[in-house]
Amino acid sequence: MQLNGEISDPCIRDEEEEEIGETHVNSAGPDISSSPPTSPSLSPSPSVVVGCALTSKKKKSFLQQKLIRLSRSKGIQYVSIDLNRPLLEHGPFDIILQKLAGKEWSQSLKDYQREYPEVIILDPPQAIKHVHNRQSMLEEVAELKLPDCYGKVCIPRQLVVMKDTAAIPDEVTKAGLRLPLVVKPLFVDGSAKSHELFLAYDQLSPSELEPPMVLQEFINHGGVLFKVYVIGESVNVVRRFSLPDITKCDLPKISGVFRFPRVSCAAASADEADLDPAVAELPPRPLLEGLARELRNRLGLRLFNIDMIRQKGTKDLYYVIDINYFPGYGKMPEYEHIFTDFVLGLVQNKHNKQRPPAA
């Protein structure tokens, strides 16, 4: 995509796009076993074996030593999957934790599940596909029937451009979209380009960018984004700094399209910042739990995050602007305890289902 300028905001993207360009796993990564332990006298036999099919960057960020140590103490072992070998030569696993793409890999998972029907796939490729299209991703949110007693959850008004960029100004007018516009590639395919984001201050400038893309209204939100991490039934939220508000007085002074820099938000947490209480107040927990539960059921995902903002000047009007599969949990406080409990709960639930009913 072309650009006229760059917005030097410190917090636009997160680890969701950190794995660009990697499609397979060969090395064991950070202290992760490539085969089960062979010395019972030195290490207890694991009761839960998790096969990991992750990029090297995802393994480094997620499989931190604090998670590995806690998992071992609970009888959980993480084993690296080498994609130079057939998946069926690995395991057997209780769980496969994966964030890879491609038809061949999807077929390998299906074949493995036929051979080992008890294995739990986190998460199935067919479920992950729901968040690969930015239009349908947010439409899933719009179709939810959530009670509004704790607040209203919306999505930004958006316009999809498949081919004809010359018609963008007319289409923006017809759709009634207000400037400025957030411009994103329509499809999330793991490439660097699919994670580019732009801010357009006029109707004509998005025509310079490459379709297919989605145009969304930018909503002032006090420069704070709520990152909602979902791990099974666990829901945790943190504040992150985001783009500053844009006033009507700013619009006539600026034109063109500006690229959001690909800078991690790891150092841009707003949880300890001295913020306006009206901006800093977290969304009500019942609202977040209800939203997470509905999306979990609708998407079929157990590992995802929701990016939310609160419209400035309102107390309870929220917008979901993005959903990501298997986000950067390593940045979430106490993630190692939450994820370990999640894994143990999955296996316990599986064993409970397999247990014959009492006479």
Side-chain angles (χ1 to χ4, degrees):
M1 289 189 177
Q2 300 174 346
L3 58 145
N4 292 340
E6 181 172 293
I7 298 174
S8 57
D9 185 89
C11 176
I12 302 301
R13 302 302 297 154
D14 204 339
E15 184 224 61
E16 285 75 39
E17 72 277 9
E18 72 170 356
E19 307 153 32
I20 304 307
E22 298 199 49
T23 58
H24 61 276
V25 180
N26 292 323
S27 62
D31 196 18
I32 171 175
S33 301
S34 54
S35 61
T38 57
S39 179
S41 61
L42 297 179
S43 176
S45 299
S47 57
V48 180
V49 181
V50 181
C52 297
L54 307 172
T55 65
S56 59
K57 287 185 178 180
K58 172 60 77 174
K59 286 198 292 183
K60 183 178 179 180
S61 67
F62 178 72
L63 292 168
Q64 299 178 27
Q65 286 302 310
K66 58 185 178 181
L67 174 65
I68 298 296
R69 286 194 295 266
L70 179 61
S71 298
R72 284 176 177 166
S73 72
K74 301 290 186 178
I76 301 170
Q77 180 190 18
Y78 290 94
V79 177
S80 182
I81 293 175
D82 180 359
L83 294 193
N84 289 325
R85 296 165 49 206
L87 183 57
L88 283 169
E89 292 183 3
H90 295 74
F93 302 122
D94 297 287
I95 296 170
I96 292 180
L97 181 64
Q98 64 95 22
K99 193 178 181 180
L100 300 178
K103 292 182 179 179
E104 184 177 349
W105 171 245
S106 296
Q107 186 59 50
S108 294
L109 286 173
K110 290 179 181 177
D111 294 342
Y112 195 90
Q113 203 158 33
R114 274 196 294 268
E115 182 70 19
Y116 301 102
E118 307 298 332
V119 70
I120 299 170
I121 307 293
L122 293 176
D123 272 319
Q126 60 269 27
I128 300 172
K129 286 181 180 179
H130 288 124
V131 294
H132 282 174
N133 181 306
R134 287 194 165 98
Q135 179 189 26
S136 59
M137 168 200 306
L138 294 189
E139 287 176 347
E140 297 282 358
V141 178
E143 293 174 5
L144 297 178
K145 305 299 183 183
L146 295 171
D148 56 8
C149 51
Y150 295 102
K152 186 174 182 180
V153 177
C154 308
I155 64 171
R157 290 196 293 176
Q158 57 184 10
L159 171 68
V160 173
V161 178
M162 295 302 297
K163 290 183 179 179
D164 187 7
T165 58
I168 287 178
D170 290 339
E171 293 298 322
V172 169
T173 300
K174 288 179 184 178
L177 298 186
R178 293 170 295 183
L179 298 172
L181 300 172
V182 178
V183 185
K184 310 175 185 180
L186 177 60
F187 300 110
V188 182
D189 60 10
S191 68
K193 180 174 286 189
S194 75
H195 287 284
E196 291 179 329
L197 288 91
F198 296 80
L199 191 63
Y201 283 87
D202 59 76
Q203 294 181 346
L204 186 60
S205 59
S207 303
E208 304 173 21
L209 305 178
E210 182 182 345
M213 55 187 168
V214 58
L215 282 57
Q216 297 174 349
E217 282 187 340
F218 177 81
I219 297 164
N220 284 334
H221 52 284
V224 171
L225 174 146
F226 303 109
K227 210 159 193 65
V228 184
Y229 292 101
V230 181
I231 301 178
E233 296 183 4
S234 172
V235 180
N236 296 270
V237 59
V238 298
R239 303 178 190 87
R240 294 282 175 85
F241 285 117
S242 181
L243 284 177
D245 294 335
I246 300 169
T247 67
K248 291 182 179 180
C249 296
D250 294 329
L251 286 175
K253 303 174 186 177
I254 310 173
S255 63
V257 61
F258 296 80
R259 183 172 69 88
F260 293 177
R262 287 172 48 78
V263 178
S264 171
C265 296
S269 171
D271 281 331
E272 303 301 326
D274 185 15
L275 298 171
D276 179 343
V279 172
E281 183 181 3
L282 294 174
R285 174 151 290 278
L287 175 75
L288 297 179
E289 291 176 345
L291 174 62
R293 180 175 58 253
E294 292 299 319
L295 283 176
R296 187 169 59 243
N297 294 336
R298 192 176 187 93
L299 300 176
L301 295 175
R302 285 171 281 195
L303 302 176
F304 62 98
N305 90 282
I306 308 162
D307 287 348
M308 292 180 66
I309 57 176
R310 180 194 295 114
Q311 184 170 335
K312 188 175 182 181
T314 72
K315 182 176 177 60
D316 56 4
L317 181 55
Y318 300 93
Y319 288 84
V320 172
I321 58 174
D322 209 356
I323 303 172
N324 300 285
Y325 168 65
F326 201 162
Y329 290 123
K331 301 184 182 80
M332 185 180 77
E334 302 293 319
Y335 91 99
E336 68 276 16
H337 295 280
I338 297 169
F339 199 84
T340 299
D341 288 345
F342 167 65
V343 168
L344 293 174
L346 284 178
V347 175
Q348 184 61 54
N349 288 339
K350 181 176 71 172
H351 290 166
N352 290 343
K353 292 178 181 178
Q354 294 171 346
R355 188 174 300 159

